[in-house]
Amino acid sequence: MLIGRKNEQKTLLSLLTSDESQFCVVYGRRRVGKTYLVRETFNYHFTFQHTGVARGKLREQLRAFRDSLSEAGLKCAIPKTWFEAFDLLKQLIDNAPTGKKTIFIDELPWMDTPKSNMVSALEHFWNGWATSRAAKDIVLIVCGSATSWITRKMLKDKGGLRGRITEKIKVNPFSLIECEEYVRAAGLPMVRKDILEMYMILGGIPYYWSFVRRGLSVSQNIDQLFFAEDAKLKDEFQALYHILFVRPDSYIDVIKTLTHRKAGLTREEILRHTKLTDGGSFSQVLDELEECGFIRRYIAFGKESQGTLFQLIDNYTLFYYHCIQKNAFSDEAYWSHTWLSGEHNVWKGLAFERVCLQHIPQVKLALGISGIVSNVCSWRNANAQIDLLISRGDNVINICEMKYANAPFTIDKAYAQNLQNKIETFRKAVSPRQTLHLTLLTTYGVAQNEYWNMVQNEVTMDDLFKQ
């Protein structure tokens, strides 16, 4: 059953009704459900479909392509080059019944082995043959988890494919409400607090959610996913970065540096901590990490002229560095044994903040400001730090505090003084014409006590589950 993805499906199906041949690129991070989306949308009916071979050499890639041609009805020898391979694909298409010819090539980046000229052959197939057919009946869909490769070789290509991509679809992780739909469809008896806690670890990656089992608590599920001897996702971190990036070390260096920098770092600070070399390659690392959804870039309030900040946003990566790596004794029930520890409370706070940042549209909806122009940023100086500000076009700034709790959050005297200090310090940095609204984002709201009335707006866990 396909959850969500309505707009993506609509775009894919529109390819079949176009008067021109269509070249569509579907991309997104590993395990996000790209292949499943395409196959379900077309009901697994393709004139030709093929999947590249992970870490396969040229000969292995061409052999697999030949096998896919055979399965589609064209018996042939193993081609010697990609130009020969695409010539064989032309033969298959020419022999196909009248109507749209839907070609689906999955994991295209894996097929681009060194000196293989695969991209040149694909360009020639599309520019020299597919688009020149009078029938205009080709629908070519290519897909890949190596988002950086897709971006460089397809979407931002300066060669033969420049301007030739007719449609692109980025498949994003599920939101909380989509994960709730998945949970209901899978028959998992989870309340929203359970879903939120799982999301803080798994993010919205459908593949990860597919391993969640009925009859187990959240803690038990996490143990069997990450810490048990045969845990399904025990080695996911290395696989994730090594498949997405050809040379992952620099990418991991940046990620590791950002892991313990809550509000993020500037470009210059990342360079200083990682000791990487500044230049185009470093810019590419940052761009591709952002494109893959691992980091976000944003402008710090009042620092527009001093560049951007880069912040780790990926749920699983944060969990890996804060929790998985710390299981030094390989405890198979590590999560169940340490769930209430102070160290995990720190992680919970950080993870909940990331979930809030991933659901800014829902936050704005809860505040009733969806239609108001606004900027999302943070602010810090020597005396105070605010991780989320929403600066609005109606001269209001929401000072957002994000707090994870197992019950309505209680503002005590010390925290009230801390909040007052933040507000007074930040007031000096803004125009006197701007109104400041203290806004708390919590799981179950704010408990009413003598300090409760300092809060102008509340956003709860339930608000984050809105469409």
Side-chain angles (χ1 to χ4, degrees):
M1 178 180 176
L2 191 61
I3 302 296
R5 313 300 194 205
K6 302 300 185 211
N7 291 332
E8 292 87 346
Q9 277 195 298
K10 183 178 179 180
T11 300
L12 284 170
L13 291 173
S14 71
L15 303 174
L16 298 175
T17 59
S18 174
D19 293 332
E20 300 291 333
S21 288
Q22 296 291 304
F23 189 163
C24 177
V25 175
V26 179
Y27 66 110
R29 63 165 285 176
R30 172 178 160 88
R31 311 296 204 189
V32 81
K34 303 177 296 298
T35 303
Y36 187 71
L37 166 66
V38 175
R39 288 176 175 168
E40 283 287 310
T41 300
F42 291 98
N43 199 26
Y44 296 80
H45 292 154
F46 302 98
T47 304
F48 173 76
Q49 64 173 318
H50 173 69
T51 301
V53 180
R55 289 179 282 277
K57 296 181 179 179
L58 176 59
R59 176 72 174 176
E60 295 169 305
Q61 301 290 352
L62 291 170
R63 180 191 296 275
F65 198 85
R66 186 279 310 270
D67 293 344
S68 295
L69 288 167
S70 297
E71 290 175 9
L74 182 69
K75 303 302 179 182
C76 57
I78 299 173
K80 294 182 176 61
T81 68
W82 279 116
F83 284 94
E84 287 185 23
F86 281 102
D87 282 341
L88 291 169
L89 178 57
K90 294 175 193 176
Q91 292 180 35
L92 176 70
I93 292 172
D94 281 335
N95 294 330
T98 302
K100 291 290 185 180
K101 316 308 193 283
T102 307
I103 314 301
F104 178 36
I105 302 178
D106 196 12
E107 297 299 359
L108 182 70
W110 292 350
M111 296 161 57
D112 186 31
T113 54
K115 300 179 181 180
S116 67
N117 291 320
M118 190 278 295
V119 175
S120 296
L122 177 62
E123 290 173 2
H124 183 69
F125 166 78
W126 183 254
N127 296 336
W129 185 79
T131 58
S132 66
R133 290 168 61 87
K136 302 184 185 304
D137 56 353
I138 307 296
V139 174
L140 173 61
I141 302 168
V142 301
C143 184
S145 295
T147 305
S148 59
W149 186 97
I150 290 285
T151 300
R152 283 184 285 110
K153 297 290 186 78
M154 298 279 108
L155 303 181
K156 296 183 179 180
D157 179 65
K158 296 180 180 179
L161 290 177
R162 183 179 180 85
R164 298 291 188 169
I165 309 298
T166 57
E167 194 64 70
K168 62 180 181 179
I169 300 173
K170 183 176 183 180
V171 182
N172 292 307
F174 282 162
S175 63
L176 277 168
I177 187 63
E178 288 170 324
C179 285
E180 185 175 53
E181 289 178 31
Y182 179 91
V183 162
R184 299 293 172 258
L188 298 169
M190 300 174 71
V191 298
R192 284 187 166 176
K193 181 73 176 325
D194 296 334
I195 297 170
L196 173 63
E197 290 177 359
M198 293 298 295
Y199 196 95
M200 286 159 58
I201 296 170
L202 306 180
I205 306 303
Y207 177 78
Y208 298 166
W209 282 86
S210 71
F211 294 115
V212 178
R213 295 290 175 257
R214 286 186 290 179
L216 299 180
S217 68
V218 170
S219 294
Q220 289 173 320
N221 263 300
I222 297 308
D223 281 331
Q224 66 93 19
L225 282 174
F226 297 101
F227 302 109
E229 185 177 354
D230 59 346
K232 298 289 193 301
L233 300 176
K234 178 174 279 188
D235 300 318
E236 175 64 11
F237 183 84
Q238 293 301 323
L240 178 62
Y241 284 90
H242 282 76
I243 283 180
L244 286 174
F245 308 110
V246 177
R247 297 177 181 84
D249 290 348
S250 296
Y251 298 84
I252 294 175
D253 285 344
V254 172
I255 287 294
K256 191 173 182 179
T257 297
L258 292 175
T259 298
H260 300 288
R261 302 308 194 279
K262 182 180 176 183
L265 295 171
T266 65
R267 179 191 178 98
E268 291 71 25
E269 288 171 333
I270 296 172
L271 285 167
R272 186 166 64 251
H273 285 291
T274 61
K275 296 180 172 54
L276 294 173
T277 302
D278 197 2
S281 296
F282 181 68
S283 296
Q284 181 177 311
V285 168
L286 294 178
D287 289 344
E288 292 178 358
L289 283 172
E290 182 182 19
E291 187 67 42
C292 290
F294 292 111
I295 66 174
R296 72 172 184 128
R297 71 176 76 201
Y298 66 97
I299 303 294
F301 186 88
K303 303 289 185 180
E304 288 80 0
S305 62
Q306 297 180 29
T308 59
L309 286 166
F310 297 88
Q311 182 185 43
L312 176 64
I313 198 70
D314 182 62
N315 308 61
Y316 167 73
T317 302
L318 187 76
F319 174 70
Y320 174 81
Y321 278 110
H322 278 266
C323 303
I324 294 177
Q325 273 202 335
K326 294 183 178 178
N327 184 23
F329 300 103
S330 300
D331 180 359
E332 292 192 28
Y334 173 76
W335 201 244
S336 298
H337 290 160
T338 60
W339 174 243
L340 298 177
S341 68
E343 197 170 76
H344 279 197
N345 285 333
V346 172
W347 167 80
K348 292 173 198 175
L350 289 172
F352 180 67
E353 288 181 10
R354 296 304 187 271
V355 175
C356 291
L357 292 172
Q358 291 159 355
H359 290 78
I360 293 298
Q362 287 80 3
V363 173
K364 290 181 179 179
L365 180 65
L367 294 174
I369 61 171
S370 296
I372 300 175
V373 175
S374 59
N375 292 320
V376 176
C377 50
S378 71
W379 175 85
R380 61 180 173 177
N381 71 3
N383 301 311
Q385 177 175 314
I386 301 172
D387 295 319
L388 176 59
L389 290 170
I390 303 177
S391 181
R392 297 155 41 176
D394 58 359
N395 279 329
V396 173
I397 300 177
N398 290 92
I399 299 175
C400 299
E401 288 282 300
M402 298 166 279
K403 294 296 178 182
Y404 178 89
N406 292 316
F409 179 76
T410 300
I411 301 175
D412 59 20
K413 181 178 180 180
Y415 185 53
Q417 291 175 341
N418 177 271
L419 290 174
Q420 195 60 45
N421 174 63
K422 284 187 181 184
I423 294 169
E424 291 175 358
T425 306
F426 182 61
R427 164 53 72 192
K428 299 173 185 177
V430 302
S431 166
R433 296 190 300 274
Q434 292 178 296
T435 302
L436 305 182
H437 284 184
L438 177 61
T439 304
L440 257 64
L441 282 60
T442 65
T443 41
Y444 293 111
V446 183
Q448 295 190 22
N449 63 4
E450 59 186 304
Y451 304 110
W452 169 76
N453 60 4
M454 69 189 301
V455 179
Q456 277 76 49
N457 309 100
E458 293 183 46
V459 177
T460 68
M461 171 180 64
D462 286 339
D463 292 318
L464 300 180
F465 278 83
K466 299 292 175 61
Q467 286 281 16

